[in-house]
Amino acid sequence: MDDLYKEIILDHYQNPNHRGKLIDGIEAGEVNMSCGDSLKISVKIEEDKIVDAKFDGGGCAISMAAVDMLLDKVIGMKLTDVKKMSGAEIEEIMGVELTPSRKKCAYLGLEVLKKIEI
Amino acid sequence: MNYKKYFPIFKKQPNLHYLDSGATALKPQVVIDKMVEYYTDYSANIHRGLYPISERATEEYELAREKVAKFINAKMEEIIFTSGTTDSINLVARAMGLKKDDEVVVEIEAHHSNFVVWQQLGKIVFEITKNTKILAITHVSNVLGQINDIKSIIEQARKINPEIVVVVDGAQAVAHMPVDVTDLDCDFYAFSGHKMYGPTGVGVLYTKAKRQLEMEPAKFGGGMIKTVSTSESTWANGPEKFEAGTPPIAEVIGLGEAIDFINEIGFEEIQKHEKELTEYLLEKIGEINWIKILGSRENKLGLVAMYSDDPKMGTSHDIADILGRDFNVCVRAGHHCAMPLHTKFGIETGTVRASLGIYNTREDIDELIKGLSKTWMIFTKK
Ligand SMILES: Cc1ncc(COP(=O)(O)O)c(C=O)c1O
């Protein structure tokens, strides 16, 4: 078993829960040029709360697993609280410690969520 | 022959499998020593001092220029020191006074350093016509590894447009094959010291003598002037006109030593060694069915970009991470500063590039292959 590419991370990467696009969601996107990750997230918000979210794009296993795991977590949360989340919390959700270059990958999803404007 | 003994990094890290010479080459002890010698024995500025250590620094600096000139079959006055290939190509664009509507023919496979500058300062096109001002070409692609037959490209271009200014990016060529700029008949030839076993921070721009006369300085300051008065200045003759300020003296001298190092081994031996390893690398990668190679296998230097088109196998970034962490195999992941090329091939998440240097052995390639097997095990959960 690899320390980084754990079963749970591979599962989220290979069989994500939240891939797709919400037809009338609010959308934001970002690219991570160092490795070619590109990500779009669409969210549906009711009374400040994220009630549904989906992501679309291509990228490394870490960035794609991270965003899928992140969306598991933030659905049901207030957008204002999501925007207060830190990178360290991503690593907590994923259950791994990341090297600086992989932090960039894993944090991409959160970066995009922070760009969502109601 | 094992050349690792000339490179001190392997004494500290005997298990380092360095397959990223395309990004930068490791440094042999002789180059490091030569630079330390400058700093410890005669670390004076050049050109201006009348005392012995400055005289020596100037001599060594100009000797390096002579070595570079011989190395690519140019004249000493045609060699301008810059900070690298990128700086060299930017210098051409500025010194030739490129204007926004000047047509520059570029290549899809170009490194960004031979692409973005033309896009920003000129007007990029993909076909040579009578209106083309500049032809910007690549000697060896840093993604495909292919040696381009630039001599015939230049001949063809001159038939269509005799006035065309030919700029060659030789960054990936100079450490691996003999280059003769006089025979190529290019106007400019750019390369970096650090990719040819020399230091970072120094590069070369070969400028055909006739073109040098057309060039205006791109930087102003000390060292590049002949006279300065309150109303006007005049410029030094020759390469100094383009080397304003204190140059990277230690680095230039180190580059001269790197050239001696290459010459001592000799291109015949370098090419034999690297060709044998390239064939081995291609053979071994060919046995892995989930990995594909970008570009042709023909006419290839030791530089191979690979990818997997199975969406469950991770991207270049994942593969390079596993190789580095678990095997100390150093490869590069991503676009290698050639995004238009990757877009053309539809590989948006990049490729894994393994590139060889004189110090590589079959064992380095075996470790790469082991790492790729492990990657497969991880992603298939075997
Ligand atoms: C083909 C090619 N051109 C240009 C460059 C840029 O070289 P430098 O970063 O030393 O300016 C590189 C190296 O990355 C290269 O491989």
Side-chain angles (χ1 to χ4, degrees), chain B residues 22-23 84-87 111 113 138 140 142 169 171-172 192 194-195:
Chain B
T85 309
T86 307
D87 192 32
H111 186 278
S113 64
T138 313
V140 176
N142 71 314
D169 173 352
Q172 292 295 342
S192 302
H194 69 97
K195 292 187 204 280

Side-chain angles (χ1 to χ4, degrees), chain A residues 82-114:
Chain A
V82 172
K83 289 194 176 185
K84 282 184 214 143
M85 285 174 75
S86 68
E89 283 174 80
I90 303 289
E91 280 170 82
E92 231 169 78
I93 295 170
M94 298 178 79
V96 289
E97 255 180 62
L98 297 165
T99 56
S101 65
R102 297 325 290 276
K103 283 189 207 294
K104 264 199 214 159
C105 312
Y107 297 176
L108 186 63
L110 184 59
E111 246 179 81
V112 173
L113 280 178
K114 288 186 176 179

Side-chain angles (χ1 to χ4, degrees), chain A residues 1-5 7 10-11 13-15 32-37 58-63 99 101-102 105, chain B residues 310-319 321-322 325-326 333-335 339 348-350 374 377-381:
Chain A
M1 171 70 74
D2 191 83
D3 291 342
L4 177 58
Y5 294 90
E7 182 106 30
L10 289 175
D11 283 341
Y13 165 59
Q14 294 175 335
N15 299 299
N32 170 1
M33 244 29 283
S34 70
C35 51
D37 296 345
C60 67
I62 300 306
S63 71
T99 56
S101 65
R102 297 325 290 276
C105 312
Chain B
D310 180 343
K312 292 208 184 322
M313 290 303 297
T315 64
S316 62
H317 216 204
D318 297 305
I319 298 171
D321 190 5
I322 293 167
R325 247 176 337 117
D326 297 348
H335 298 110
M339 283 189 71
E348 309 289 341
T349 49
K374 165 130 194 227
M377 304 270 272
I378 287 176
F379 280 101
T380 54
K381 300 187 187 164

Side-chain angles (χ1 to χ4, degrees), chain B residues 323-362:
Chain B
L323 292 173
R325 247 176 337 117
D326 297 348
F327 295 87
N328 212 1
V329 168
C330 314
V331 294
R332 193 141 290 249
H335 298 110
H336 324 297
C337 298
M339 283 189 71
L341 181 72
H342 282 82
T343 307
K344 181 185 143 193
F345 281 103
I347 310 171
E348 309 289 341
T349 49
T351 49
V352 172
R353 184 185 73 183
S355 51
L356 304 174
I358 187 69
Y359 29 68
N360 287 121
T361 58
R362 284 186 172 224

